[in-house]
Amino acid sequence: MNNYDNYKEYDWEDEIKDEGSDFVLLPEDDYDFRIKCFERARYSGSDKIPPCNLAKVTFIIYGAEETVEITDNFYLYSKFEWKLSSLFLAIGLKKRNEPVKMNWNKITGATGKCRVYVDTYVKKDGSQGKSNKIKRLYPYDKEVETVGPLRPVPPAPAQATNWIPGDF
C-alpha cells in the first residue's frame, strides 16, 4: 500500500474545488489515535542506520476540535526493536514482556493513545518550522486521560472491524 491510494491523477481540464485547510498544530498533550494506513518501504541507510525495511505509519490524532495526521517511521532493525514493540503494545497486538510476530496487516484501523509534542526544525529556506510528532505510544492497558475529541473516535474501517484490543 502506498500513499497514492487516496488520490487520483487529474486531466488538464478537470474541475477542482478543495482549497486545503489551515495548518493545525496541536499543543503537547496526550491524545487518542487511529492508524490510517502504513506503507512498506526500504531505508537506504545512513551513518547511524544500515539499509533496512521501513514501515511508514500514518496516525490520525484526535484533538479536542481538530484532527491531525502524523506519519512516523518504524525501522525494522534491532536497534529500534523497542519502538516496534511500543507500536504493537499500544494497539493491543502485543502482550507485555512477551515476544510477538509483527502482523502489519492488522494495524490499519487500530486505535490507541499517544503523547504528541511540537517539533521545531529548520526548513530548506533557512526559516524555522514547527510540526507535531509522536513522543510516546502508551501501552493499550495503561490508563491515560487524553484530550477528548468533540466527537467520539469513529469506528474502525470495515477491514479492521474484527480487531479487539489484546486479541492475539
Side-chain angles (χ1 to χ4, degrees):
M1 180 171 163
N2 58 40
N3 287 332
Y4 303 136
D5 292 342
N6 296 326
Y7 302 99
K8 71 173 192 168
E9 180 181 7
Y10 287 119
D11 198 8
W12 293 106
E13 288 82 30
D14 280 354
E15 183 178 285
I16 59 172
K17 63 181 179 184
D18 185 357
E19 297 172 11
S21 60
D22 293 332
F23 177 73
V24 176
L25 193 64
L26 296 174
E28 181 165 345
D29 214 329
D30 296 324
Y31 296 93
D32 293 315
F33 71 79
R34 173 175 308 287
I35 296 178
K36 177 181 178 181
C37 62
F38 87 97
E39 176 185 352
R40 294 175 193 260
R42 183 80 183 155
Y43 180 65
S44 59
S46 68
D47 291 341
K48 295 181 180 182
I49 307 169
C52 61
N53 289 324
L54 171 69
K56 295 181 178 186
V57 180
T58 301
F59 296 83
I60 300 172
I61 309 297
Y62 294 93
E65 298 178 14
E66 303 283 345
T67 59
V68 172
E69 286 188 15
I70 298 175
T71 300
D72 201 353
N73 292 331
F74 291 83
Y75 299 94
L76 279 70
Y77 184 64
S78 60
K79 180 178 180 179
F80 300 103
E81 184 175 354
W82 65 270
K83 189 172 179 180
L84 294 165
S85 285
S86 71
L87 173 64
F88 285 91
L89 189 59
I91 60 176
L93 293 178
K94 181 183 184 316
K95 290 182 182 178
R96 288 180 183 267
N97 303 314
E98 291 186 16
V100 69
K101 183 176 180 179
M102 296 181 291
N103 187 343
W104 293 97
N105 294 326
K106 284 192 169 188
I107 73 166
T108 300
T111 59
K113 299 172 190 274
C114 66
R115 180 79 176 180
V116 170
Y117 73 99
V118 177
D119 181 46
T120 303
Y121 61 94
V122 178
K123 297 180 182 180
K124 291 180 181 179
D125 67 4
S127 65
Q128 197 175 65
K130 292 185 177 189
S131 67
N132 283 129
K133 290 195 175 179
I134 294 175
K135 185 175 200 170
R136 178 175 184 199
L137 296 168
Y138 293 108
Y140 70 94
D141 59 353
K142 182 174 173 127
E143 292 294 322
V144 177
E145 189 172 323
T146 60
V147 172
L150 290 178
R151 295 173 302 283
V153 175
Q159 74 264 24
T161 56
N162 60 349
W163 180 81
I164 301 168
D167 183 20
F168 301 91

